[in-house]
Amino acid sequence: MTELSGKIIVVTGAGSGIGHASYKALAAEGATIALCDINEAAVKTGCSELGGEHQFYALDVGSSQQCNEIVARIVGHFGRIDGLFNCAGVNPTESPLAETTDEYWDKLVSTNLRGPYNMTRACIPHLQTGGVIVNVSSTAGIRASAGFAIYNATKFGVIGFSKSMALELGPKGIRVNVIAPGPIDTPTNASVMEGEDAVRRIEQRISMGRLGKPDEVADVVTFLFSEKSRWVNGAVIEVTGGM
């Protein structure tokens, strides 16, 4: 029997990057996954590749109505939820605050901060003792940078929100933890998009000399959902290669 056999885990942002790698790792440990992403085609393909009892759902986590409806559908199909991985997120564009727009604020806050709020609130009534929530922040939620004020605000917010949830839900036997990845080699990573020179500059800040891989983050996510982390609650785990 694998570590997560029989568990029903909801994964948002499952269409690519860390979410994609994580649902595969969780499924490999025996979990049944509800794959959620705004990109329905991506999660439909992922679900087909997994086979088995996994299900996919088109979801904009910024919509509380959609979150409530999708969680109800997941519970209606599987009968329960054992875990929630809030991975949906929008990467930033470097910009002085005076040059940002209301639309940019709304885009980042809606997905990066309201998304975990919407999904956590919707799932709480269905989580029992032993339930687990893992939220994705970033090193940008621990150390601020000029030009990234709005992104910093969302990722700092995820950590504060998660620590509060750990205190609120801990007495019910539900754990809430955070991963804070450093630069990961994904298609939406800004340095990757900017090209090789940008990647080299980032790598010089990492003691291991390279960007991380999505599956290296997924391994930590899987640990946090497992019983091996049963005394870990309210933690923020940096996955950075040593920045």
Side-chain angles (χ1 to χ4, degrees):
M1 182 178 292
T2 47
E3 182 72 28
L4 298 173
S5 182
K7 299 294 186 182
I8 307 299
I9 299 178
V10 181
V11 178
T12 71
S16 63
I18 293 171
H20 176 83
S22 295
Y23 80 67
K24 291 173 64 177
L26 293 166
E29 287 297 325
T32 300
I33 312 299
L35 294 76
C36 303
D37 199 283
I38 198 168
N39 183 343
E40 182 177 5
V43 286
K44 183 177 181 180
T45 299
C47 193
S48 177
E49 291 173 349
L50 284 179
E53 297 299 317
H54 312 284
Q55 295 288 312
F56 70 91
Y57 303 87
L59 173 64
D60 175 2
V61 296
S63 165
S64 60
Q65 179 178 346
Q66 284 192 35
C67 290
N68 293 337
E69 290 174 352
I70 292 300
V71 167
R73 285 175 57 190
I74 292 169
V75 173
H77 180 83
F78 292 110
R80 69 182 197 282
I81 292 172
D82 300 304
L84 168 65
F85 181 38
N86 281 311
C87 189
V90 176
N91 282 335
T93 301
E94 184 175 0
S95 179
L97 187 69
E99 297 177 13
T100 61
T101 64
D102 290 349
E103 290 74 20
Y104 181 70
W105 166 274
D106 291 342
K107 180 181 180 180
L108 265 64
V109 172
S110 178
T111 302
N112 294 357
L113 189 54
R114 182 165 183 166
Y117 159 73
N118 283 340
M119 286 300 290
T120 300
R121 184 179 62 175
C123 286
I124 283 174
H126 308 289
L127 292 170
Q128 304 297 320
T129 297
V132 178
I133 299 172
V134 178
N135 295 325
V136 176
S137 179
S138 165
T139 53
I142 299 169
R143 293 175 290 277
S145 301
F148 295 94
I150 298 171
Y151 188 69
N152 286 144
T154 65
K155 292 303 185 178
F156 271 78
V158 167
I159 290 176
F161 173 75
S162 301
K163 286 182 174 289
S164 179
M165 286 296 95
L167 295 172
E168 183 174 324
L169 300 178
K172 301 177 183 178
I174 300 168
R175 298 185 293 111
V176 183
N177 291 296
V178 184
I179 58 166
I184 306 300
D185 189 357
T186 68
T188 59
N189 182 296
S191 60
V192 173
M193 294 170 66
E194 290 171 7
E196 187 173 339
D197 289 345
V199 171
R200 296 291 88 79
R201 289 193 297 271
I202 294 295
E203 289 176 338
Q204 289 172 5
R205 297 170 51 202
I206 301 171
S207 65
M208 293 182 71
R210 63 174 177 83
L211 301 186
K213 300 175 183 178
D215 64 306
E216 292 172 322
V217 181
D219 287 341
V220 180
V221 173
T222 302
F223 164 74
L224 289 173
F225 276 102
S226 77
E227 279 297 299
K228 294 176 182 177
S229 63
R230 59 191 175 277
W231 190 237
V232 182
N233 190 31
V236 180
I237 300 181
E238 297 185 52
V239 191
T240 69
M243 288 187 69

